[in-house]
Amino acid sequence: QVQLVESGGGLVQAGGSLRLSCAVSGRTFRSYAMGWFRQAPGKEREFVAAVRWSTGTTAYADSVKGRFTISRDNAKNTVYLQMNTLKPEDTAVYYCAVNPRDYIVKAQSAYDYWGQGTQVTVSS
């Protein structure tokens, strides 16, 4: 059993920043990957970023490269998404998820555990 709880969402003006956190409990991870996804109203859920837990290797969607940074804290079993220079098109519900593999995968189907999501709204 794995539980993920996201936090840090909210309302921010365009150009602002937010940091999302995802606390994982129920088991210990090492050679796994954690990812962030988002879903805007009327759109499909899309990949945002992922980090390989053991090495810190990261991957990003083109739309957020240079603006978002994913990181992890091994001691706290927590993954973060630092979002800078936010744009209105970043508005979505953001989800964190766990991929029980030893490498990063962008496909949603690879992630077995999901959080409840946290709302991020960017005003123009």
Side-chain angles (χ1 to χ4, degrees), residues 8-120:
L11 175 65
V12 64
Q13 292 185 344
S17 299
L18 286 173
R19 189 185 74 161
L20 306 183
S21 299
C22 177
V24 183
S25 62
R27 66 171 295 170
T28 301
F29 297 97
R30 185 178 181 276
S31 296
Y32 288 67
M34 291 189 179
W36 285 97
F37 295 79
R38 67 186 182 185
Q39 186 169 25
K43 296 184 178 180
E44 297 291 326
R45 185 177 298 181
E46 64 176 347
F47 171 82
V48 176
V51 58
R52 185 182 179 189
W53 200 258
S54 61
T55 65
T57 302
T58 59
Y60 298 92
D62 289 341
S63 60
V64 306
K65 286 181 179 178
R67 299 189 298 120
F68 291 11
T69 302
I70 187 171
S71 61
R72 83 276 191 263
D73 187 324
N74 291 334
K76 296 182 178 180
N77 285 335
T78 300
V79 62
Y80 304 95
L81 185 68
Q82 178 66 46
M83 306 184 295
N84 297 326
T85 318
L86 283 162
K87 304 175 180 179
E89 51 263 43
D90 294 319
T91 295
V93 177
Y94 284 71
Y95 301 88
C96 66
V98 176
N99 163 27
R101 294 169 173 81
D102 196 29
Y103 49 88
I104 291 175
V105 176
K106 296 181 179 180
Q108 297 180 41
S109 60
Y111 293 80
D112 293 339
Y113 306 98
W114 293 80
Q116 296 291 103
T118 185
Q119 177 71 48
V120 172

